[in-house]
Amino acid sequence: MALADIEEGNAIPLYYFARDDRVYNAFVEKLDEHSDAIRAMPNPRLRRQLEALRTKLQGRRLSARVRLKQLSRGTQN
């Protein structure tokens, strides 16, 4: 579903999967860089999901497992 809104993409660098704030900072940087395109997306559900990711991943030093649990709880609402 999200692929329909993505025109072109780049591979995610492996260091993004480190357990620190690099992932979050890179994610927020890309969100800010593409904020106009995100606001213009016709899919409100995808916009809400991106905002939830920004909120839930906010710079915490948590393991990937804990982050996934938080995200899964947030999307069940």
Side-chain angles (χ1 to χ4, degrees):
M1 192 157 116
L3 291 176
D5 294 322
I6 299 172
E7 294 176 9
E8 58 185 62
N10 299 321
I12 299 173
L14 292 178
Y15 66 84
Y16 277 18
F17 294 97
R19 288 176 53 181
D20 61 15
D21 292 334
R22 287 182 286 183
V23 176
Y24 178 75
N25 292 334
F27 177 70
V28 169
E29 180 182 309
K30 292 298 180 185
L31 280 180
D32 292 342
E33 183 179 321
H34 300 288
S35 63
D36 293 336
I38 291 169
R39 277 193 296 271
M41 286 191 316
N43 189 336
R45 183 177 185 185
L46 183 55
R47 287 194 307 265
R48 286 192 309 268
Q49 289 171 342
L50 289 172
E51 189 57 39
L53 284 170
R54 181 182 210 139
T55 303
K56 296 283 186 176
L57 294 176
Q58 191 172 0
R60 297 184 181 134
R61 294 183 182 271
L62 302 174
S63 70
R65 173 177 275 163
V66 173
R67 287 181 188 199
L68 286 173
K69 280 185 181 180
Q70 285 183 341
L71 288 172
S72 67
R73 274 190 253 132
T75 58
Q76 291 174 359
N77 295 336

